[in-house]
Amino acid sequence: MLLASAVVVWEWLNEHGRWRPYSPAVSHHIEAVVRAGPRAGGSVVLGQVDSRLAPYIIDLQSMNQFRQDTGTLRPVRRNYYDPSSAPGKGVVWEWENDNGSWTPYDMEVGITIQHAYEKQHPWIDLTSIGFSYVIDFSTMGQINRQTQRQRRVRRRLDLIYPMVTGTLPKAQSWPASPGSAASPPGPPCSCPQCVLVMSVKAAVVSGSAGPLQPPAARKNMPPSGAVKMPPLPGPGAKPMDSTGTIRGPVKTAPSQPIRRQASSTAAGATAGSPASPPGANSKTGRVALATLNRTNLQRLAIAQSRVLIASGVPTVPVKNLNGSSPVNPALAGITGILMSAAGLPVCLTRPPKLVLHPPPVSKSEIKSIPGVSNTSRKTTKKQAKKGKTPEEVLKKYLQKVRHPPEEDCTICMERLTAPSGYKGPQPTVKPDLVGKLSRCGHIYHTYCLVAMYNNGNKDGSLQCPTCKTIYGVKTGTQPPGKMEYHLIPHSLPGHPDCKTIRIIYSIPPGIQGPEHPNPGKSFSARGFPRHCYLPDSEKGRKVLKLLLVAWDRRLIFAIGTSSTTGESDTVIWNEVHHKTEFGSNLTGHGYPDANYLDNVLAELAAQGISEDSTAQEKD
């Protein structure tokens, strides 16, 4: 035993091997179940405290979190931190992700940042704890030391994590103490998740018979877990080890490495993680499971789950242990918990593989596309037609309105009966003139339309700001590059009866022109060459021909800020979606997708490109 006080933070292990903290509210909820002992059932339904975590249940005996709709299991742990550190004060440090929402730092990182903040340091370099970032407190920004990319960070106050004082066990079993095991059982939770968990566990305990022996591997396993009491980072602090634990002067028990299998981890090997209480004569459900093989465990879970699943527990097909037939996700999760508790390897789901590219294709197998000339096309900047002023261009599309209606101009938001409210560079037309677009009939101040045209591409086209009707031929600001297209002898998922059209876009980095957001500044071109795929069907070839028109009009790409990486001044897609996955659809940019061709035709039409456009290009 160690005499100490600490804050308890419950954490889960993500796919990158990082321990991520649950929120203070969730940690309080889990801690309350732990302290309640067996009468609480040994399972924590996270949706009871956070509706966003409704699919998740934590099994305290196996120290695993499982997700009911997929059967995915992840190790969890109960970790201790210094009461004077960030979690002991309710301080949470977060960074802004690409979606504009906020993500908390790992607990050790947040503690390090908070310590520097309290010392009133102007910045802190996180390289010493394994992260290539600098936090600048003056700008509240995170700077990547390698790419110089910046993100916003913030410090906010939340609940203080649960506190424990007195004696901290080196390795804690569940239930936490013998006294709690003798306490009378309280009324069980009646939610479907708890009912399902308790039903299967009760069946395991009541159905066991004969002497119960733990597996030999368990008998010989050394004690797991070590109390982590990290001192605040600073002069004289011990360095972090590979798990991110700050080794301080507090003596800890040797830490048991996390035993990770290709599928599930049996127990969290960390500070204060509940360890199994195996013994030759123990009659707990945990050890009883050791006498059952995989088939019996599955059989038991199936038998105990059928009635509950039929009564309303939601079901979605996932793969079973052999990957050959569908089972219910609730059943998959329970089977995983039972097998993990018994120390058996679990592989409930086999994640699908991302297939970006087709199998290798030789040059002799690459063919031109029938009905489409050439196999590549280059584009350079096209100059707008000279000799026509904005007023002369708009005159082709506008009809004068002598008696404007009592409505607002949707560009300047002033009444059409009053002069334009536009305050920018002054066009040469009078501010009180009003015009109606000839095809769609929407009415604006002519002054406002001229200003809008001057702020655009000035290519002789105009797009109604209300209904998006395009007047003239719309062109974009795509930087120079090359588009290649050809046939390859492979079929796309969902299109087994035809070959595949492969499109390869190549755009090099360069300098922005006057039509771009930051003229004279360099722009990057990430991810090129970009490979895209269409089925070689009648509709697929139609889409290709229209994409060629869009390429010639410089509408496929633009220069702006990436929505996926947040990088500015880079080449981005320009509202015409492409399929970049050849043999899968994990990201939504692959096949099968029955509606894709129709959707991309609609997107091209919104850019003013239709079958009539191909005839215009020939003319």
Side-chain angles (χ1 to χ4, degrees), residues 296 364 421 449 482 548 568-569:
N296 289 334
S364 60
L449 287 174
K482 183 179 181 182
L548 289 169
S568 58
D569 298 306

Side-chain angles (χ1 to χ4, degrees), residues 438 450 482 591:
S438 57
V450 171
K482 183 179 181 182
Y591 293 93

Side-chain angles (χ1 to χ4, degrees), residues 61-192:
Q61 289 187 346
S62 65
M63 287 297 284
N64 276 309
Q65 166 197 281
F66 84 90
R67 179 168 178 157
Q68 300 172 89
D69 53 354
T70 63
T72 303
L73 287 100
R74 296 186 186 276
V76 299
R77 72 181 185 181
R78 182 182 188 232
N79 211 1
Y80 298 139
Y81 293 95
D82 194 304
S84 64
S85 63
K89 298 178 179 179
V91 174
V92 179
W93 283 89
E94 299 173 320
W95 54 275
E96 187 178 30
N97 60 34
D98 293 337
N99 298 323
S101 55
W102 295 90
T103 303
Y105 284 97
D106 296 353
M107 192 54 66
E108 289 89 351
V109 178
I111 288 172
T112 304
I113 297 173
Q114 175 63 15
H115 179 248
Y117 181 84
E118 291 175 348
K119 294 292 185 181
Q120 297 185 346
H121 295 167
W123 51 270
I124 179 163
D125 190 340
L126 301 179
T127 305
S128 61
I129 58 173
F131 295 91
S132 183
Y133 297 105
V134 172
I135 306 298
D136 187 339
F137 295 119
S138 62
T139 62
M140 290 299 282
Q142 169 191 281
I143 305 168
N144 188 312
R145 290 172 57 90
Q146 296 178 344
T147 65
Q148 298 303 307
R149 182 184 175 191
Q150 298 188 25
R151 293 181 184 271
R152 291 194 299 165
V153 300
R154 73 177 183 182
R155 176 184 181 269
R156 66 176 180 85
L157 295 179
D158 204 326
L159 293 173
I160 296 174
Y161 278 89
M163 188 83 67
V164 292
T165 57
T167 56
L168 302 181
K170 292 181 181 179
Q172 184 180 16
S173 300
W174 192 91
S177 65
S180 62
S183 58
C189 177
S190 59
C191 71

Side-chain angles (χ1 to χ4, degrees), residues 370-606:
V372 180
S373 59
N374 304 318
T375 57
S376 66
R377 192 169 298 190
K378 291 184 178 180
T379 183
T380 57
K381 179 183 174 183
K382 290 185 177 180
Q383 299 291 337
K385 295 180 180 179
K386 296 181 179 180
K388 289 189 176 181
T389 65
E391 293 80 1
E392 291 174 329
V393 171
L394 265 65
K395 188 176 180 180
K396 298 188 298 182
Y397 311 133
L398 285 177
Q399 300 171 355
K400 287 184 179 181
V401 177
R402 299 187 181 279
H403 303 288
E406 288 290 336
E407 298 174 359
D408 288 343
C409 170
T410 56
I411 298 177
C412 70
M413 301 310 297
E414 295 289 344
R415 304 297 284 181
L416 290 168
T417 52
S420 168
Y422 177 70
K423 303 299 182 185
Q426 302 297 313
T428 57
V429 298
K430 295 180 180 179
D432 57 350
L433 290 180
V434 175
K436 180 174 73 172
L437 290 170
S438 57
R439 287 165 51 198
C440 64
H442 288 110
I443 302 174
Y444 305 95
H445 289 117
T446 305
Y447 193 87
C448 293
L449 287 174
V450 171
M452 185 182 75
Y453 180 85
N454 282 330
N455 289 328
N457 204 23
K458 292 185 258 189
D459 58 358
S461 72
L462 183 72
Q463 188 165 15
C464 174
T466 300
C467 65
K468 308 304 180 184
T469 298
I470 296 173
Y471 295 81
V473 177
K474 179 182 178 180
T475 61
T477 60
Q478 173 182 293
K482 183 179 181 182
M483 176 182 180
E484 301 174 75
Y485 42 93
H486 48 248
L487 282 181
I488 56 174
H490 299 291
S491 298
L492 292 165
H495 299 274
D497 300 328
C498 60
K499 296 179 182 179
T500 297
I501 299 171
R502 179 168 63 184
I503 304 171
I504 303 175
Y505 294 111
S506 300
I507 294 180
I511 304 298
Q512 298 182 52
E515 74 274 27
H516 293 136
N518 296 297
K521 186 177 179 180
S522 62
F523 67 86
S524 61
R526 312 291 185 193
F528 288 94
R530 298 187 185 183
H531 291 229
C532 309
Y533 304 95
L534 293 169
D536 184 33
S537 60
E538 181 179 353
K539 188 176 286 187
R541 293 184 188 181
K542 175 182 176 181
V543 169
L544 173 65
K545 292 176 182 178
L546 297 183
L547 287 175
L548 289 169
V549 175
W551 174 263
D552 290 339
R553 295 183 183 179
R554 304 172 66 203
L555 292 169
I556 300 291
F557 296 97
I559 294 176
T561 300
S562 170
S563 60
T564 55
T565 66
E567 182 182 10
S568 58
D569 298 306
T570 190
V571 179
I572 59 174
W573 293 106
N574 186 37
E575 300 181 1
V576 178
H577 286 83
H578 285 64
K579 293 295 189 181
T580 53
E581 284 183 69
F582 175 82
S584 59
N585 195 16
L586 299 187
T587 65
H589 302 303
Y591 293 93
D593 185 342
N595 299 319
Y596 169 65
L597 296 177
D598 289 328
N599 290 341
V600 75
L601 286 172
E603 291 172 343
L604 288 164

